[in-house]
Amino acid sequence: MSIELLLPAGSYENFTVAVNNGADAVYIGGSRFSARANAVNFSDEEIVSAVKYAHTRGVKVYVAINTLIEDDKLSEALEFAHFCYVNGVDALIVQDMGFLSLLKKYIPDMKLNASTQMTLHNLKGVKAAEEAGFSRVVLSRELSREEIGNICAGAKAEIEVFAHGALCMSYSGQCLMSSFIGGRSGNRGACAQPCRLPYSLADCQGNVVCRDKYLLSLKDLCMLDRIGDLEKLGVNSLKVEGRMKNSAYVAMTAHLYSKYKNGGQVDLCDIEDLQSVFSRNGFTRGYYENTTGRQMLNLDKNNDDVYKNISANAKARAEALCRNEGRKIPVSASFEAALGEKATLCVWDAEGNFVSITGNCTVEKAVNVPLTEERITAQLSKTGSTPFELDGLTVNIGEGISLPVKELNEMRRDAFSKLEDERTRQNADAKPPKYTLNIVGGANKTVFTAGAMTYEQIKTLEKTDAERIYIPADVYDKHKDEFSSDRFYVKIPAIERFGNIASGYDRICTSNFSQVYDSVPHKHGGVRMNVFNSESVKFLKENGFESVCLSPELNMHRIINISKDIPTEAIVYGYVPVMTVQNCVIKSAYGKCACDNGVHRLIDRKGAHFNVVADKTNCTNVIYNSTPVYMGDKMHDIYSSGIACALLDFTFESSEEIEEIFTLYKQGKPFGKAFTRGHFYRGV
């Protein structure tokens, strides 16, 4: 089987355009729980129609339920998933680990694809997804050719990679910038794309080294001339991004990627038309070819005019493709008619679907013009608006017989209609799930926990009464003899690449789904795990976790009501990481590597400063929010929420500042600097 071409559709119109221009599968979102909440999306009735339309034409349909789901929506999400299963949807695309556990329990036969929002970027992560029940994994966009090949070689699950379209600056699932700046969460399908705005970059002394450039705005991905290479690596599916894009984009990408799926030298004119229908100053293959840096960015242009610059040729070509309704499935048929009997017509396809139709009229002796094989072939070949074309017909009729043309036409219509029904797979007998959320109460007492970035900060935290201290893995590895007590947990990076996957620790704080099944005596789920609902807490408990930090996107109401099967933690102080990026912001600003120049600061158009830290172990940047979360004078709300641990997460603070902040929290006093309440009183 050749590599799958997977197209997006944000509307029913775009769906039919994708199907009729070469898509092997199409992914869509329903009116709920979609990570593209601002797309038109599909009503339940349209999903039913889409599945039938696609399946009769040999195309699969995947539905994205790939947002984080709050407790009071879990039942509705499960009902929607059951609706998709009953109506033959081929797979669900899922992010939320709690929702995943419900799907495996209540709809075990539903095929599940792990969303790119799960930040699965190494073989360990893919194997964790396999163990959890996923049959396909959508890899992070940031991987190189070598990394993709290594994953494909070791994976049992199907591997899907992005082949075309917009690139997020942050690893998907690790971006909170839109959420914390404006309350529009990418994890909840409402990203405002602040990455497409201009920024300046200042060094650690405050000197602006790059001014008003688009340092977070990547060019679009295009792998049109690498399809064969990806197939050789073992990739199962090529994903085109774009549920928010128009029909011209869907038509052109579907047509051209389908055109080159079977090889051939890519025509420059085709690349130009692809760029014309939508691109941000051309295309990139930077991550795949390990050529990151400025060349991946739209450094000098905001690209607000991406839809305005389409060429006349590309526009005409795309419009013609949008009118294409000619996708046909070849079918075979046999027709038999004998005097005094009723005629029979059998039709079947290559997948083994078979229908047999018996006519209503008895075959009579011809009075004038007898029925001929040519006449039968002509009538049965009139497939018209059906999704079929006759690709072989066997005729066995007696001599000198007669049968009305109307009878032939009715038999043909009935046969094709029934074949459509046969090709539309459904699971009508599936019983609806009966799900009830069981809540476990919280702790009666809240203690302080703390995290730090540097050795000096950790030594300061040792002097406090923090019951647990989270230490970065690289710091722990250098000073492990000093941190042997059970008070210390090693914080595993969210991104583990280049063979530096952490292991051999007794106590860890996880940051990625790949670490869920680690055989470690003591596991804590860190803030990067996106734990948004009670079922996620329960899932981690079932997999050996002793405690978990809740998502910083939860508000106080949800924190109070979330089930606390294991002790829960909330970050009550700290600069929250809002992006983890592979294309180094510092290198792009300088035009060369400059990680050794200390902590840099992104400056937005309103003057807000976002610290940028280079992580050399994985060659990534972590961008932190411009102001810290502060809840020192609101701790009465935290104490009454059932939270067991209040996390003070230190990053850029001096030893003196750490001691001062601990004192403020002990005394319940207000903060004297700029701060945010995060999502405690607003949520997403």
Side-chain angles (χ1 to χ4, degrees), residues 357-377:
I357 301 296
T358 301
N360 295 315
C361 300
T362 301
V363 178
E364 298 178 348
K365 185 176 180 62
V367 177
N368 295 313
V369 181
L371 184 66
T372 64
E373 182 175 336
E374 291 75 16
R375 183 67 176 188
I376 293 168
T377 301

Side-chain angles (χ1 to χ4, degrees), residues 94-95 97 100 114-120 134 172-173 512-513:
V94 175
Q95 170 191 8
M97 70 180 89
L100 159 69
S115 170
T116 189
Q117 288 287 117
M118 294 187 74
T119 325
L120 297 173
F134 286 106
S172 293
N512 186 271
F513 191 84

